[in-house]
Amino acid sequence: MSSPKIWTHKGTFLLAAVGSAVGLGNLWRFPYLTGENGGGAFILVYALTIALVGIPILIAETLLGRASRKSPIMGMQYLTESHNTSRNWRAIGWMGAFAAFIILSFYSVIAGWAIHYTGLMFSGSLVGADAATIGESFGDLLASPGLLLTYHTLFILASGLIVGMGIHKGIENGLRFMMPALFVILLIVLGYGVVAGDVGAAMSFLFTFNLADLSLEGWLQAMGQSFFTLSLGMGAIMAYGAYMSSEASLTRTAISIAFVDTAIALLAGIAIFSLVFGSGLEAGQGPGLMFVTLPIAFAELPAGWLIGGVFFILVIGAAITSSISLVEPVAAYLVERFGLSRPIAVTLMITFCWLLGLLTVFSFNYWSEGTITHDWFGRSPFDVLEFITNILMPLGGLLIALFAGWALSREEVLREMSTNDTWFQCWQFLVRFVAPTAVAFVFLRTMPQIDGYLIPAVGSVLLIGAFTAGRTFIQQRQS
Ligand code: TRP
């Protein structure tokens, strides 16, 4: 066997994990969820979940990667064998790969919208346009399968190209150039937001809170978002962790990732809400916040086309540094397991995701509301895909927390975490009890939102499956 691959620099894991974490989740999803859920109170709950659930699971997932030094599927096979646990825990690897396909398939389509808006901004075609026209132009984009497909193809090819070039030449070099550039762009947009918008209104919206504003729904969304934004539960972090230097401190790195990711979401929130409030617009517009509300603000501000164009480049870049972490685990598996060359493995992965992406593309036009094919169990194909990931991500995180918390030995974890006993015990308590409870809560809560009994039934079966897996594991250990 060849010696395991390691990142060239000690700090690359941090860079790569931040690249994976910071994406559409920070720039698009976080601001609109905050907007819909009343601001500060939502952020408070979100920050709490990041600290108590997100960071411990982030440590757990990295730990599994670094302890196995393999792609998630092969890594879980190795860990279950070396720790003499039930083989069922290998589901962590398989579910992660499955989720990666689904997420990449629609992530790429949505990131494609940002390519379209970059063009619209720089061409100046939205300058001075009124709200209705801008709303319509978004509708026109969604109605055009040709346009959506073109952008989807471009985006997925770009991600594949970077991963195909290998972890050093492609991923490491790409990130080392892209991450600082993206940060600078964010600061420019933020500076512009402060000068041209209403930063006071944005700050008071984001940082004053009244817990009574927050519904139970908002609580759960905040918890779900903390998972999504840290890229947890899908093997992406595990795959990157497999290349992490043994010297880097896991605990400190995980805390830094969570801190930077949250800081970037907040800075993006300040920038976006300054512009939105400065133009007298509403915060609670849902997913259209970035693609309709924000362009309306840019359309009337001085040099808005320029800053708007730059902003959408930031969105594309942040999405690419995330999408490469979705390609990597599956590609690495195909290379390890079947001895494929990396370019071929990547081509297979992205071809399949591209095809799956057609479901999302057609959900907005051929199969949109009112057509026969629209109805897949009462929702559009895109909603179905999103729903599946909303199940797989927490479930993956839950299993990762349980496996790392119960199956790995104390010495092993202490050595990897390189912290003292108090921190270790604190971590262990969080991954053994707190995180699983929190996740199970979010998870069960997703269920009844779906029509009828089908999904609660499927959900219960999955949960029972998880517990059976846990029991089998404990039995095997004792034997
Ligand atoms: N964290 C990414 C974002 O904020 C989205 C994401 C969720 C992701 N799960 C992932 C990215 C797994 C890469 C791998 O946009």
Side-chain angles (χ1 to χ4, degrees), residues 4-7 10 13-14 58-72 75-76 78-79 83 235-254 408 411-419:
K5 278 201 220 105
I6 307 280
W7 298 117
K10 199 173 147 188
F13 172 76
L14 176 63
L58 189 56
I59 294 178
E61 193 170 337
T62 317
L63 196 64
L64 296 186
R66 197 165 71 172
S68 67
R69 293 236 176 268
K70 291 180 178 18
S71 70
M76 285 314 297
Y78 166 79
L79 289 173
H83 290 76
I237 293 295
M238 210 188 294
Y240 277 176
Y243 311 137
M244 183 182 187
S245 139
S246 311
E247 289 141 49
S249 153
L250 259 183
T251 317
R252 205 170 322 138
T253 309
L408 301 185
E411 295 68 42
E412 203 173 6
V413 177
L414 268 177
R415 178 158 24 91
E416 291 285 345
M417 276 178 73
S418 53
T419 42

Side-chain angles (χ1 to χ4, degrees), residues 20-21 23-26 103 107 228-231 234 236 322 325-326 393:
S20 170
L24 297 176
N26 305 58
I103 295 201
Y107 204 79
F228 186 83
T229 193
L230 291 177
S231 306
M234 280 160 23
S322 298
S325 75
L326 286 164
M393 264 190 324

Side-chain angles (χ1 to χ4, degrees), residues 256-304:
S256 313
I257 295 166
F259 178 80
V260 175
D261 183 72
T262 307
I264 290 186
L266 290 174
L267 291 179
I270 296 174
I272 290 173
F273 288 119
S274 296
L275 294 170
V276 166
F277 292 141
S279 303
L281 298 164
E282 294 287 323
Q285 298 302 306
L289 180 67
M290 177 185 284
F291 296 106
V292 180
T293 315
L294 196 60
I296 296 174
F298 281 130
E300 56 187 38
L301 289 166

Side-chain angles (χ1 to χ4, degrees), residues 200-223:
M203 296 299 267
S204 79
F205 179 69
L206 292 172
F207 299 111
T208 52
F209 54 86
N210 176 1
L211 268 185
D213 289 348
L214 195 61
S215 59
L216 175 65
E217 210 43 58
W219 260 85
L220 296 164
Q221 282 188 334
M223 290 167 88

